[in-house]
Coordinates of all heavy atoms in Angstrom, one line a residue:
M1 N 16.0 -16.7 -20.1 CA 15.9 -15.3 -19.6 C 16.8 -14.5 -20.5 O 18.0 -14.8 -20.8 CB 16.3 -15.2 -18.2 CG 15.9 -14.0 -17.5 SD 16.3 -13.8 -15.8 CE 15.2 -15.0 -15.0
R2 N 16.3 -13.4 -21.0 CA 17.1 -12.5 -21.8 C 18.2 -11.8 -21.0 O 18.1 -11.8 -19.7 CB 16.2 -11.4 -22.4 CG 15.2 -11.9 -23.4 CD 14.4 -10.8 -24.0 NE 14.0 -9.8 -23.0 CZ 12.9 -9.1 -22.9 NH1 12.0 -9.4 -23.8 NH2 12.6 -8.3 -22.0
R3 N 19.2 -11.3 -21.6 CA 20.4 -10.7 -21.0 C 20.0 -9.6 -20.1 O 20.4 -9.4 -18.9 CB 21.4 -10.3 -22.0 CG 22.7 -9.8 -21.5 CD 23.6 -9.6 -22.6 NE 24.7 -8.7 -22.1 CZ 25.6 -8.3 -22.9 NH1 25.6 -8.5 -24.1 NH2 26.6 -7.5 -22.4
A4 N 19.1 -8.7 -20.6 CA 18.7 -7.5 -19.8 C 17.9 -8.0 -18.6 O 18.0 -7.4 -17.5 CB 17.8 -6.6 -20.7
E5 N 17.0 -9.0 -18.7 CA 16.3 -9.5 -17.6 C 17.2 -10.1 -16.5 O 17.0 -9.8 -15.3 CB 15.3 -10.6 -18.0 CG 14.2 -10.1 -18.9 CD 13.4 -11.2 -19.5 OE1 13.8 -12.4 -19.4 OE2 12.3 -10.9 -20.0
L6 N 18.2 -10.8 -17.0 CA 19.2 -11.4 -16.0 C 19.9 -10.3 -15.3 O 20.1 -10.4 -14.1 CB 20.1 -12.3 -16.8 CG 21.2 -13.0 -15.9 CD1 20.5 -13.9 -14.9 CD2 22.1 -13.9 -16.8
A7 N 20.3 -9.2 -16.0 CA 21.0 -8.1 -15.3 C 20.2 -7.5 -14.3 O 20.6 -7.2 -13.2 CB 21.5 -7.1 -16.4
I8 N 18.9 -7.3 -14.6 CA 18.0 -6.6 -13.6 C 17.8 -7.5 -12.4 O 17.8 -7.1 -11.3 CB 16.6 -6.3 -14.2 CG1 16.8 -5.2 -15.3 CG2 15.6 -5.8 -13.2 CD1 17.2 -3.9 -14.8
V9 N 17.6 -8.8 -12.6 CA 17.4 -9.8 -11.5 C 18.6 -9.8 -10.7 O 18.5 -9.8 -9.4 CB 17.0 -11.2 -12.1 CG1 17.1 -12.2 -11.0 CG2 15.7 -11.2 -12.7
C10 N 19.8 -9.9 -11.3 CA 21.0 -9.9 -10.5 C 21.2 -8.6 -9.7 O 21.6 -8.7 -8.5 CB 22.2 -10.1 -11.4 SG 22.4 -11.7 -12.1
L11 N 20.9 -7.5 -10.3 CA 21.0 -6.2 -9.6 C 20.0 -6.1 -8.4 O 20.4 -5.8 -7.3 CB 20.7 -5.0 -10.5 CG 20.8 -3.6 -9.9 CD1 22.2 -3.4 -9.3 CD2 20.5 -2.6 -11.0
L12 N 18.8 -6.6 -8.7 CA 17.8 -6.6 -7.6 C 18.2 -7.5 -6.5 O 18.1 -7.2 -5.3 CB 16.4 -7.0 -8.1 CG 15.7 -6.0 -9.0 CD1 14.5 -6.6 -9.7 CD2 15.3 -4.8 -8.3
S13 N 18.7 -8.7 -6.8 CA 19.2 -9.6 -5.8 C 20.3 -9.1 -5.0 O 20.4 -9.2 -3.8 CB 19.6 -10.9 -6.4 OG 18.4 -11.5 -7.0
A14 N 21.3 -8.4 -5.7 CA 22.4 -7.8 -5.0 C 22.0 -6.7 -4.0 O 22.5 -6.6 -2.9 CB 23.4 -7.3 -6.0
M15 N 21.0 -5.9 -4.5 CA 20.6 -4.8 -3.6 C 19.8 -5.3 -2.4 O 19.9 -4.7 -1.3 CB 19.7 -3.9 -4.4 CG 20.4 -3.1 -5.5 SD 22.0 -2.4 -5.1 CE 21.5 -1.3 -3.8
L16 N 19.2 -6.5 -2.5 CA 18.5 -7.0 -1.4 C 19.4 -7.5 -0.3 O 18.9 -7.6 0.8 CB 17.5 -8.1 -1.9 CG 16.4 -7.6 -2.7 CD1 15.6 -8.8 -3.3 CD2 15.4 -6.9 -1.7
S17 N 20.6 -7.8 -0.6 CA 21.5 -8.2 0.4 C 22.1 -7.1 1.3 O 22.7 -7.3 2.3 CB 22.7 -9.0 -0.2 OG 23.5 -8.2 -1.0
A18 N 21.8 -5.8 0.8 CA 22.3 -4.7 1.6 C 21.5 -4.6 2.9 O 20.4 -4.9 3.0 CB 22.0 -3.4 0.8
P19 N 22.2 -4.1 4.0 CA 21.6 -4.1 5.3 C 20.4 -3.1 5.4 O 19.6 -3.3 6.3 CB 22.7 -3.7 6.2 CG 23.7 -3.1 5.4 CD 23.6 -3.7 4.0
T20 N 20.2 -2.2 4.5 CA 19.1 -1.2 4.6 C 17.8 -1.8 4.1 O 16.8 -1.2 4.3 CB 19.5 0.1 3.9 OG1 19.7 -0.2 2.5 CG2 20.6 0.8 4.5
V21 N 17.9 -2.9 3.4 CA 16.7 -3.5 2.8 C 15.9 -4.3 3.9 O 16.5 -5.1 4.6 CB 17.0 -4.4 1.6 CG1 15.8 -5.1 1.1 CG2 17.7 -3.5 0.5
L22 N 14.6 -4.0 4.0 CA 13.9 -4.6 5.1 C 13.0 -5.7 4.7 O 12.2 -6.2 5.5 CB 13.0 -3.5 5.7 CG 13.7 -2.2 6.1 CD1 12.7 -1.2 6.6 CD2 14.7 -2.6 7.3
R23 N 13.0 -6.1 3.4 CA 12.1 -7.2 2.9 C 12.8 -8.2 2.1 O 14.0 -8.0 1.7 CB 10.9 -6.6 2.2 CG 11.3 -5.9 0.9 CD 10.1 -5.3 0.2 NE 10.3 -5.4 -1.2 CZ 9.6 -6.0 -2.1 NH1 8.5 -6.6 -1.7 NH2 9.8 -6.0 -3.3
A24 N 12.1 -9.3 1.8 CA 12.7 -10.4 1.0 C 12.9 -10.0 -0.4 O 12.5 -8.9 -0.9 CB 11.7 -11.6 1.1
E25 N 13.4 -10.9 -1.1 CA 13.7 -10.7 -2.6 C 12.4 -10.4 -3.3 O 11.3 -10.9 -3.0 CB 14.2 -12.1 -3.0 CG 14.6 -12.1 -4.5 CD 15.3 -13.5 -4.8 OE1 16.0 -14.0 -3.9 OE2 15.1 -13.9 -5.9
P26 N 12.5 -9.5 -4.3 CA 11.3 -9.2 -5.1 C 10.7 -10.4 -5.8 O 11.4 -11.3 -6.2 CB 11.7 -8.2 -6.1 CG 13.2 -8.3 -6.2 CD 13.7 -8.9 -4.9
S27 N 9.4 -10.4 -5.9 CA 8.7 -11.5 -6.6 C 9.1 -11.5 -8.1 O 9.5 -10.5 -8.6 CB 7.2 -11.5 -6.4 OG 6.7 -10.4 -7.1
Q28 N 8.9 -12.6 -8.7 CA 9.1 -12.7 -10.2 C 8.1 -11.7 -10.9 O 8.5 -11.1 -11.9 CB 8.9 -14.1 -10.7 CG 9.3 -14.3 -12.1 CD 10.7 -14.0 -12.4 OE1 11.6 -14.5 -11.7 NE2 11.0 -13.2 -13.5
Q29 N 7.0 -11.6 -10.3 CA 6.0 -10.7 -10.9 C 6.5 -9.2 -10.9 O 6.3 -8.5 -11.8 CB 4.7 -10.8 -10.0 CG 3.5 -10.1 -10.6 CD 2.3 -10.3 -9.7 OE1 2.3 -10.1 -8.5 NE2 1.2 -10.9 -10.3
E30 N 7.1 -8.8 -9.8 CA 7.7 -7.5 -9.7 C 8.8 -7.3 -10.7 O 8.9 -6.3 -11.3 CB 8.2 -7.2 -8.2 CG 7.1 -7.1 -7.2 CD 7.5 -7.1 -5.8 OE1 8.5 -7.9 -5.5 OE2 7.0 -6.3 -5.0
V31 N 9.7 -8.3 -10.8 CA 10.8 -8.2 -11.7 C 10.3 -8.2 -13.1 O 10.7 -7.3 -13.9 CB 11.7 -9.4 -11.5 CG1 12.8 -9.5 -12.6 CG2 12.4 -9.4 -10.2
D32 N 9.3 -9.0 -13.5 CA 8.7 -9.0 -14.8 C 8.1 -7.6 -15.1 O 8.2 -7.1 -16.2 CB 7.7 -10.1 -15.0 CG 8.3 -11.5 -15.0 OD1 9.5 -11.6 -15.1 OD2 7.5 -12.5 -14.8
A33 N 7.4 -7.1 -14.2 CA 6.7 -5.8 -14.4 C 7.8 -4.7 -14.6 O 7.6 -3.8 -15.5 CB 5.8 -5.4 -13.2
Y34 N 8.8 -4.7 -13.8 CA 9.9 -3.7 -14.0 C 10.5 -3.8 -15.4 O 10.7 -2.8 -16.1 CB 11.0 -4.0 -12.9 CG 12.0 -2.8 -12.8 CD1 11.8 -1.8 -11.9 CD2 13.1 -2.8 -13.6 CE1 12.7 -0.8 -11.8 CE2 14.0 -1.7 -13.5 CZ 13.8 -0.7 -12.6 OH 14.7 0.3 -12.5
I35 N 10.8 -5.0 -15.8 CA 11.5 -5.3 -17.1 C 10.5 -4.8 -18.2 O 10.9 -4.2 -19.2 CB 11.9 -6.7 -17.2 CG1 13.1 -7.0 -16.3 CG2 12.3 -7.0 -18.7 CD1 13.4 -8.5 -16.1
A36 N 9.2 -5.2 -18.1 CA 8.3 -4.8 -19.1 C 8.1 -3.3 -19.2 O 7.9 -2.7 -20.3 CB 6.9 -5.5 -18.8
A37 N 8.1 -2.6 -18.1 CA 7.9 -1.2 -18.0 C 9.1 -0.4 -18.6 O 9.0 0.7 -19.1 CB 7.6 -0.7 -16.6
D38 N 10.3 -1.0 -18.4 CA 11.6 -0.3 -18.9 C 11.7 -0.4 -20.4 O 12.4 -1.3 -20.9 CB 12.7 -1.0 -18.1 CG 14.1 -0.3 -18.5 OD1 14.1 0.8 -19.0 OD2 15.1 -1.0 -18.2
K39 N 11.0 0.4 -21.1 CA 10.9 0.3 -22.5 C 12.2 0.5 -23.3 O 12.5 -0.2 -24.2 CB 9.9 1.3 -23.1 CG 8.4 1.0 -22.6 CD 7.9 -0.3 -23.2 CE 6.5 -0.5 -22.8 NZ 6.0 -1.8 -23.1
N40 N 13.0 1.4 -22.8 CA 14.3 1.6 -23.4 C 15.4 0.7 -22.9 O 16.6 0.8 -23.4 CB 14.7 3.1 -23.4 CG 15.0 3.6 -21.9 OD1 14.9 2.8 -21.0 ND2 15.4 4.8 -21.8
K41 N 15.1 -0.1 -22.0 CA 16.0 -1.2 -21.5 C 17.3 -0.6 -20.9 O 18.4 -1.2 -21.1 CB 16.3 -2.2 -22.5 CG 15.1 -2.9 -23.1 CD 14.3 -3.6 -22.0 CE 13.1 -4.2 -22.6 NZ 12.0 -4.4 -21.6
D42 N 17.2 0.6 -20.2 CA 18.4 1.2 -19.6 C 18.6 0.8 -18.2 O 19.5 1.2 -17.5 CB 18.4 2.7 -19.8 CG 17.3 3.4 -19.0 OD1 16.4 2.7 -18.5 OD2 17.3 4.6 -18.9
G43 N 17.6 0.0 -17.6 CA 17.7 -0.4 -16.2 C 17.1 0.5 -15.3 O 17.1 0.3 -14.1
H44 N 16.6 1.7 -15.7 CA 15.9 2.7 -14.9 C 14.5 3.0 -15.4 O 14.3 2.8 -16.6 CB 16.7 4.0 -14.9 CG 18.1 3.8 -14.3 ND1 19.2 3.3 -15.0 CD2 18.6 4.1 -13.1 CE1 20.2 3.2 -14.2 NE2 19.9 3.7 -13.0
L45 N 13.7 3.5 -14.5 CA 12.3 3.8 -15.0 C 12.2 5.4 -15.0 O 12.4 6.0 -14.0 CB 11.3 3.3 -14.0 CG 11.2 1.7 -13.9 CD1 10.1 1.3 -12.9 CD2 11.0 1.1 -15.2
S46 N 11.8 5.9 -16.2 CA 11.5 7.3 -16.3 C 10.0 7.4 -15.7 O 9.4 6.5 -15.4 CB 11.5 7.7 -17.8 OG 10.5 7.0 -18.5
K47 N 9.5 8.7 -15.7 CA 8.2 8.9 -15.2 C 7.1 8.1 -16.0 O 6.3 7.4 -15.4 CB 7.8 10.4 -15.2 CG 8.5 11.1 -14.1 CD 8.2 12.6 -14.0 CE 8.9 13.2 -12.9 NZ 8.6 14.7 -12.8
P48 N 7.1 8.1 -17.3 CA 6.2 7.3 -18.1 C 6.3 5.8 -17.8 O 5.4 5.1 -17.7 CB 6.4 7.7 -19.5 CG 7.1 9.0 -19.5 CD 7.9 9.0 -18.2
E49 N 7.6 5.4 -17.7 CA 7.8 3.9 -17.5 C 7.4 3.5 -16.1 O 6.8 2.5 -15.9 CB 9.3 3.6 -17.7 CG 9.8 3.7 -19.1 CD 11.3 3.6 -19.2 OE1 12.0 4.0 -18.3 OE2 11.8 3.3 -20.3
F50 N 7.6 4.4 -15.1 CA 7.1 4.2 -13.8 C 5.6 4.0 -13.7 O 5.1 3.2 -13.0 CB 7.6 5.3 -12.8 CG 7.1 5.1 -11.4 CD1 7.7 4.2 -10.6 CD2 6.1 5.9 -10.9 CE1 7.3 4.0 -9.3 CE2 5.7 5.8 -9.6 CZ 6.3 4.8 -8.8
R51 N 4.9 4.9 -14.5 CA 3.5 4.9 -14.5 C 3.0 3.5 -15.1 O 2.1 2.9 -14.5 CB 3.0 6.0 -15.4 CG 1.5 6.1 -15.4 CD 1.1 7.3 -16.4 NE -0.3 7.6 -16.1 CZ -0.7 8.8 -15.7 NH1 0.1 9.8 -15.6 NH2 -2.0 9.0 -15.5
Q52 N 3.7 3.0 -16.1 CA 3.4 1.7 -16.6 C 3.7 0.6 -15.6 O 2.9 -0.4 -15.5 CB 4.2 1.4 -17.9 CG 3.9 0.1 -18.6 CD 2.4 -0.1 -19.0 OE1 1.7 0.9 -19.2 NE2 2.0 -1.3 -19.2
F53 N 4.8 0.7 -14.9 CA 5.1 -0.3 -13.8 C 4.0 -0.3 -12.8 O 3.5 -1.4 -12.4 CB 6.4 0.1 -13.2 CG 6.8 -0.7 -12.0 CD1 7.3 -2.0 -12.1 CD2 6.6 -0.2 -10.7 CE1 7.6 -2.8 -11.0 CE2 6.9 -1.0 -9.6 CZ 7.4 -2.3 -9.7
I54 N 3.5 0.8 -12.4 CA 2.4 0.9 -11.4 C 1.2 0.2 -12.0 O 0.5 -0.5 -11.3 CB 2.1 2.3 -10.9 CG1 3.3 2.9 -10.2 CG2 0.9 2.4 -10.1 CD1 3.6 2.2 -8.8
R55 N 0.9 0.5 -13.2 CA -0.3 -0.1 -13.8 C -0.2 -1.6 -13.9 O -1.2 -2.3 -13.6 CB -0.5 0.5 -15.2 CG -1.0 1.9 -15.2 CD -1.2 2.4 -16.6 NE -1.7 3.8 -16.6 CZ -1.6 4.6 -17.6 NH1 -0.9 4.3 -18.7 NH2 -2.0 5.8 -17.5
L56 N 0.9 -2.1 -14.2 CA 1.1 -3.5 -14.3 C 1.0 -4.2 -12.9 O 0.4 -5.2 -12.8 CB 2.5 -3.9 -14.9 CG 2.7 -3.5 -16.4 CD1 4.1 -3.6 -16.8 CD2 1.8 -4.5 -17.3
M57 N 1.6 -3.5 -11.9 CA 1.5 -4.1 -10.6 C 0.1 -4.0 -10.0 O -0.3 -4.9 -9.3 CB 2.5 -3.4 -9.7 CG 4.0 -3.7 -10.0 SD 4.4 -5.4 -10.0 CE 4.0 -5.8 -8.3
A58 N -0.6 -2.9 -10.3 CA -2.0 -2.8 -9.9 C -2.8 -3.9 -10.5 O -3.7 -4.5 -9.9 CB -2.5 -1.4 -10.2
K59 N -2.6 -4.1 -11.8 CA -3.4 -5.1 -12.5 C -3.1 -6.5 -11.9 O -4.0 -7.4 -11.9 CB -3.0 -5.1 -14.0 CG -3.8 -6.1 -14.9 CD -3.4 -5.9 -16.3 CE -4.1 -6.9 -17.2 NZ -3.8 -6.8 -18.6
A60 N -1.9 -6.7 -11.4 CA -1.5 -8.0 -10.8 C -2.0 -8.1 -9.4 O -1.9 -9.1 -8.7 CB 0.0 -8.1 -10.8
G61 N -2.6 -7.0 -8.8 CA -3.2 -7.1 -7.5 C -2.4 -6.5 -6.4 O -2.8 -6.6 -5.2
N62 N -1.3 -5.8 -6.7 CA -0.5 -5.2 -5.6 C -1.3 -4.0 -5.0 O -1.7 -3.1 -5.7 CB 0.8 -4.7 -6.2 CG 1.7 -4.0 -5.2 OD1 1.5 -2.9 -4.9 ND2 2.7 -4.8 -4.8
A63 N -1.4 -4.1 -3.7 CA -2.3 -3.1 -3.0 C -1.7 -1.7 -3.1 O -2.5 -0.7 -3.3 CB -2.4 -3.5 -1.5
K64 N -0.4 -1.5 -2.9 CA 0.2 -0.2 -3.0 C 0.0 0.4 -4.4 O -0.4 1.6 -4.5 CB 1.6 -0.2 -2.6 CG 1.9 -0.4 -1.2 CD 3.4 -0.4 -0.9 CE 3.8 -0.9 0.5 NZ 5.2 -0.9 0.7
A65 N 0.2 -0.4 -5.4 CA 0.1 0.1 -6.8 C -1.4 0.4 -7.1 O -1.7 1.4 -7.8 CB 0.6 -1.0 -7.7
R66 N -2.3 -0.4 -6.5 CA -3.7 -0.1 -6.7 C -4.1 1.3 -6.1 O -4.9 2.0 -6.7 CB -4.6 -1.2 -6.1 CG -4.6 -2.4 -7.0 CD -5.5 -3.5 -6.4 NE -6.0 -4.3 -7.5 CZ -6.9 -5.2 -7.3 NH1 -7.4 -5.5 -6.1 NH2 -7.3 -5.9 -8.3
Q67 N -3.5 1.6 -4.9 CA -3.8 2.9 -4.3 C -3.3 4.0 -5.2 O -4.0 5.0 -5.4 CB -3.2 2.9 -2.9 CG -4.0 2.2 -1.9 CD -3.4 2.3 -0.5 OE1 -2.2 2.4 -0.3 NE2 -4.2 2.4 0.5
V68 N -2.1 3.9 -5.6 CA -1.5 4.9 -6.5 C -2.3 5.1 -7.7 O -2.6 6.2 -8.1 CB 0.0 4.5 -6.8 CG1 0.5 5.5 -7.9 CG2 0.9 4.5 -5.6
R69 N -2.7 4.0 -8.3 CA -3.5 4.1 -9.5 C -4.9 4.7 -9.2 O -5.4 5.6 -10.0 CB -3.7 2.7 -10.2 CG -4.5 2.8 -11.5 CD -4.7 1.4 -12.1 NE -5.6 0.6 -11.2 CZ -5.9 -0.6 -11.4 NH1 -5.5 -1.3 -12.5 NH2 -6.7 -1.3 -10.6
F70 N -5.5 4.3 -8.2 CA -6.9 4.8 -7.8 C -6.8 6.3 -7.6 O -7.7 7.1 -8.1 CB -7.4 4.1 -6.6 CG -8.7 4.6 -6.1 CD1 -9.9 4.2 -6.7 CD2 -8.8 5.6 -5.1 CE1 -11.1 4.7 -6.3 CE2 -10.1 6.1 -4.7 CZ -11.2 5.6 -5.3
W71 N -5.8 6.8 -6.9 CA -5.7 8.2 -6.5 C -5.0 9.0 -7.6 O -4.8 10.2 -7.5 CB -5.0 8.4 -5.2 CG -5.9 7.9 -4.1 CD1 -5.6 6.8 -3.3 CD2 -7.1 8.5 -3.6 NE1 -6.6 6.6 -2.4 CE2 -7.5 7.6 -2.5 CE3 -7.8 9.6 -3.9 CZ2 -8.7 7.9 -1.8 CZ3 -9.0 9.8 -3.2 CH2 -9.4 9.0 -2.2
R72 N -4.5 8.3 -8.6 CA -3.7 8.9 -9.7 C -2.5 9.7 -9.1 O -2.2 10.8 -9.6 CB -4.6 9.8 -10.6 CG -5.6 9.0 -11.3 CD -6.5 9.8 -12.1 NE -7.6 8.9 -12.6 CZ -8.4 9.3 -13.5 NH1 -8.3 10.4 -14.1 NH2 -9.4 8.5 -13.9
A73 N -1.9 9.1 -8.2 CA -0.8 9.7 -7.5 C 0.5 9.2 -8.0 O 1.5 9.1 -7.3 CB -0.9 9.4 -6.0
Y74 N 0.6 9.1 -9.3 CA 1.9 8.6 -9.9 C 3.0 9.6 -9.7 O 4.1 9.1 -9.3 CB 1.7 8.5 -11.5 CG 0.6 7.5 -11.9 CD1 -0.7 8.0 -12.3 CD2 0.8 6.2 -11.8 CE1 -1.7 7.1 -12.6 CE2 -0.2 5.3 -12.2 CZ -1.4 5.8 -12.6 OH -2.4 4.9 -12.9
G75 N 2.8 10.9 -9.8 CA 3.9 11.9 -9.5 C 4.3 11.8 -8.1 O 5.5 11.9 -7.8
Y76 N 3.4 11.7 -7.2 CA 3.7 11.7 -5.8 C 4.6 10.4 -5.5 O 5.6 10.5 -4.8 CB 2.5 11.7 -4.9 CG 2.7 11.5 -3.4 CD1 3.1 12.6 -2.7 CD2 2.5 10.3 -2.8 CE1 3.4 12.5 -1.3 CE2 2.7 10.2 -1.4 CZ 3.1 11.3 -0.7 OH 3.4 11.2 0.6
A77 N 4.1 9.3 -6.0 CA 4.8 8.0 -5.8 C 6.2 8.1 -6.4 O 7.2 7.6 -5.8 CB 4.0 6.8 -6.3
F78 N 6.3 8.7 -7.6 CA 7.6 8.8 -8.3 C 8.5 9.6 -7.4 O 9.7 9.3 -7.3 CB 7.4 9.4 -9.6 CG 8.7 9.4 -10.5 CD1 8.9 8.3 -11.3 CD2 9.6 10.5 -10.4 CE1 10.1 8.3 -12.1 CE2 10.7 10.4 -11.2 CZ 11.0 9.4 -12.0
G79 N 8.0 10.7 -6.8 CA 8.9 11.6 -6.0 C 9.4 10.8 -4.8 O 10.5 11.1 -4.3
I80 N 8.6 9.9 -4.2 CA 9.0 9.2 -3.1 C 10.1 8.2 -3.5 O 11.1 8.0 -2.8 CB 7.9 8.4 -2.4 CG1 6.9 9.4 -1.7 CG2 8.3 7.3 -1.4 CD1 5.6 8.8 -1.2
A81 N 9.9 7.5 -4.6 CA 10.9 6.5 -5.0 C 12.2 7.1 -5.6 O 13.2 6.5 -5.5 CB 10.2 5.6 -6.1
D82 N 12.1 8.3 -6.2 CA 13.3 8.9 -6.8 C 14.2 9.6 -5.8 O 14.2 10.8 -5.6 CB 12.9 9.9 -7.9 CG 14.1 10.4 -8.7 OD1 15.2 9.8 -8.6 OD2 13.9 11.5 -9.4
R83 N 14.9 8.8 -5.0 CA 15.7 9.2 -3.9 C 16.7 10.3 -4.2 O 17.0 11.2 -3.5 CB 16.4 8.1 -3.2 CG 15.5 7.0 -2.7 CD 14.9 7.5 -1.4 NE 14.1 6.5 -0.8 CZ 13.7 6.5 0.4 NH1 14.1 7.5 1.2 NH2 12.9 5.6 0.9
N84 N 17.4 10.1 -5.3 CA 18.5 11.0 -5.7 C 18.1 12.1 -6.6 O 18.9 12.9 -7.0 CB 19.7 10.2 -6.3 CG 19.3 9.6 -7.6 OD1 18.2 9.7 -8.1 ND2 20.2 8.8 -8.2
R85 N 16.8 12.2 -6.9 CA 16.2 13.3 -7.6 C 16.8 13.5 -9.0 O 16.9 14.6 -9.5 CB 16.2 14.6 -6.9 CG 15.6 14.5 -5.5 CD 14.1 14.4 -5.6 NE 13.5 14.4 -4.3 CZ 12.8 13.4 -3.8 NH1 12.7 12.3 -4.5 NH2 12.2 13.5 -2.6
D86 N 17.1 12.4 -9.7 CA 17.7 12.5 -11.0 C 16.7 12.3 -12.1 O 17.0 12.3 -13.3 CB 18.9 11.5 -11.2 CG 18.4 10.0 -11.2 OD1 17.3 9.8 -10.9 OD2 19.3 9.2 -11.5
G87 N 15.4 12.1 -11.7 CA 14.4 11.9 -12.7 C 14.2 10.5 -13.2 O 13.4 10.2 -14.1
L88 N 15.0 9.6 -12.6 CA 14.9 8.2 -13.0 C 14.9 7.3 -11.7 O 15.4 7.7 -10.7 CB 16.1 7.7 -13.8 CG 16.3 8.4 -15.2 CD1 17.7 8.1 -15.7 CD2 15.2 8.0 -16.1
I89 N 14.2 6.2 -11.8 CA 14.2 5.3 -10.6 C 15.0 4.0 -10.9 O 14.7 3.3 -11.9 CB 12.7 4.9 -10.3 CG1 12.0 6.2 -9.9 CG2 12.7 3.9 -9.1 CD1 10.5 6.0 -9.6
A90 N 16.0 3.8 -10.2 CA 16.8 2.6 -10.3 C 16.2 1.5 -9.4 O 15.4 1.8 -8.5 CB 18.2 2.9 -9.8
P91 N 16.5 0.3 -9.7 CA 15.9 -0.8 -8.9 C 16.2 -0.6 -7.4 O 15.3 -0.9 -6.6 CB 16.7 -2.1 -9.4 CG 17.0 -1.7 -10.8 CD 17.3 -0.3 -10.8
A92 N 17.3 -0.2 -7.0 CA 17.6 0.0 -5.6 C 16.8 1.0 -4.9 O 16.3 0.9 -3.8 CB 19.1 0.4 -5.4
E93 N 16.5 2.1 -5.7 CA 15.6 3.2 -5.2 C 14.2 2.6 -5.0 O 13.5 2.9 -4.0 CB 15.5 4.3 -6.1 CG 16.8 5.2 -6.2 CD 16.7 6.2 -7.2 OE1 16.5 5.9 -8.4 OE2 16.9 7.4 -6.8
L94 N 13.7 1.8 -5.9 CA 12.4 1.3 -5.8 C 12.3 0.3 -4.7 O 11.3 0.3 -3.9 CB 12.0 0.6 -7.1 CG 10.6 0.2 -7.3 CD1 9.6 1.4 -7.2 CD2 10.4 -0.5 -8.7
I95 N 13.3 -0.5 -4.5 CA 13.3 -1.5 -3.4 C 13.2 -0.8 -2.1 O 12.5 -1.1 -1.2 CB 14.5 -2.4 -3.5 CG1 14.3 -3.4 -4.7 CG2 14.7 -3.3 -2.2 CD1 15.6 -4.1 -5.1
R96 N 14.1 0.2 -1.9 CA 14.1 1.0 -0.7 C 12.8 1.7 -0.4 O 12.3 1.7 0.8 CB 15.3 2.0 -0.7 CG 15.5 2.6 0.6 CD 16.8 3.4 0.7 NE 16.9 4.0 2.0 CZ 17.8 4.9 2.2 NH1 18.7 5.2 1.4 NH2 17.9 5.4 3.5
A97 N 12.3 2.3 -1.4 CA 11.0 3.0 -1.2 C 9.9 2.1 -0.8 O 9.1 2.4 0.1 CB 10.6 3.8 -2.5
D98 N 9.9 0.9 -1.4 CA 8.9 -0.1 -1.1 C 9.0 -0.6 0.3 O 8.0 -0.8 1.1 CB 8.9 -1.3 -2.1 CG 7.8 -2.2 -1.9 OD1 6.6 -1.8 -1.7 OD2 8.0 -3.4 -2.0
A99 N 10.3 -0.8 0.8 CA 10.5 -1.3 2.1 C 10.2 -0.3 3.2 O 9.7 -0.6 4.3 CB 12.0 -1.7 2.2
E100 N 10.3 1.0 2.9 CA 10.1 2.1 3.8 C 8.7 2.6 3.8 O 8.3 3.4 4.7 CB 11.1 3.2 3.6 CG 12.5 2.8 3.9 CD 13.5 3.8 3.6 OE1 13.1 4.9 3.1 OE2 14.7 3.6 3.9
N101 N 7.9 2.3 2.8 CA 6.5 2.9 2.7 C 5.5 1.8 2.7 O 5.4 0.9 2.1 CB 6.4 3.8 1.5 CG 7.3 5.0 1.7 OD1 7.1 5.8 2.5 ND2 8.4 5.1 0.9

């Protein structure tokens, strides 16, 4: 596993141990899609990177991602996931949005 991948996996695992997280550890497929979509390898997803993440997850059969792709609701989904409104989605924001929606 590359260093960046390991860092993301560790961060995702650490965030999952927080009491606000309502679901199990992300699948390897989710982690791989996140890493693949994070083109600049900064650990966050910009709007274009998030769109790619959704496309990858939809292609893999994720029902929520398929709905976002079908309705082309990338901006809406990004707004839900970007909790702190900084224009980037961190792994913790994505995990929390997924657990709550």
Side-chain angles (χ1 to χ4, degrees):
M1 195 178 288
R2 295 183 317 217
R3 186 173 162 187
E5 292 172 346
L6 183 58
I8 296 292
V9 169
C10 289
L11 180 57
L12 290 171
S13 296
M15 296 312 300
L16 287 170
S17 64
T20 59
V21 175
L22 305 174
R23 65 182 210 121
E25 185 172 325
S27 69
Q28 186 62 46
Q29 188 175 56
E30 291 168 319
V31 172
D32 290 345
Y34 192 96
I35 292 167
D38 184 17
K39 295 295 183 193
N40 65 359
K41 305 299 179 206
D42 67 351
H44 296 80
L45 299 180
S46 64
K47 287 181 181 181
E49 291 171 335
F50 178 73
R51 185 180 197 123
Q52 180 63 20
F53 172 77
I54 293 295
R55 288 179 178 158
L56 291 169
M57 290 305 298
K59 185 177 179 180
N62 181 280
K64 288 180 187 178
R66 284 181 152 186
Q67 285 183 325
V68 170
R69 185 182 66 180
F70 178 81
W71 294 108
R72 297 179 187 191
Y74 301 102
Y76 177 76
F78 189 89
I80 290 171
D82 186 16
R83 299 283 185 163
N84 63 3
R85 304 290 183 244
D86 67 351
L88 297 171
I89 297 176
E93 290 175 303
L94 192 58
I95 291 168
R96 187 169 179 190
D98 188 39
E100 293 177 356
N101 293 293

